[in-house]
Amino acid sequence: VAVQYYCTASVVCKAEPHCFIPQPKVASSVVNLKVGEKPTVDVNDEKKFFAVVKSAFGQRRKTLMNALSKSPYLSAEKEKILNALEKMGLSADIRGEKMSIEQFAELSDILCD
């Protein structure tokens, strides 16, 4: 999400495991990052936007609501988070990795009003 916030990313090519020593068990990709003149989404408070993102991915096995409500970076109660998700038309059991950067921007603006 942070890369998407500052850059436009595109895959240049694939790098197969045999290209490396020692050989990994997974294929890799070479990625081109083009830094933009301004962020890709508008947010009311960049610091709070990244607090929401950091919270969402800090506990990936948890639902977004549980991750945000137990985050040391935010002070949002479950009811406020649930209301924000409902306002956005999202399920209460959504996880952070299922959200777009635009949804993170909207959620941070709602939660940090």
Side-chain angles (χ1 to χ4, degrees):
V1 175
V3 168
Q4 291 176 16
Y5 186 78
Y6 293 110
C7 304
T8 302
S10 60
V11 176
V12 175
C13 64
K14 300 285 183 187
E16 297 300 324
H18 68 273
C19 297
F20 300 95
I21 298 174
Q23 185 171 326
K25 295 180 181 179
V26 296
S28 300
S29 294
V30 176
V31 180
N32 179 35
L33 300 177
K34 183 177 180 190
V35 179
E37 292 182 22
K38 63 177 189 160
T40 58
V41 292
D42 292 323
V43 293
N44 292 338
D45 186 324
E46 189 175 275
K47 186 175 179 181
K48 290 181 181 178
F49 169 77
F50 282 109
V52 170
V53 171
K54 190 173 186 178
S55 300
F57 290 101
Q59 301 179 41
R60 292 184 70 152
R61 297 284 178 225
K62 293 190 179 282
T63 63
L64 184 64
M65 187 166 58
N66 285 331
L68 296 181
S69 68
K70 295 176 179 169
S71 171
Y73 310 109
L74 295 173
S75 59
E77 296 176 3
K78 278 190 174 186
E79 186 174 331
K80 185 173 183 177
I81 298 164
L82 181 59
N83 289 339
L85 293 174
E86 287 175 354
K87 182 177 181 179
M88 294 173 62
L90 298 173
S91 170
D93 63 353
I94 193 168
R95 296 182 192 280
E97 60 264 21
K98 298 293 183 187
M99 293 181 55
S100 68
I101 188 169
E102 293 82 9
Q103 289 172 316
F104 274 111
E106 182 180 355
L107 180 60
S108 72
D109 287 349
I110 293 170
L111 290 178
C112 301
D113 278 343

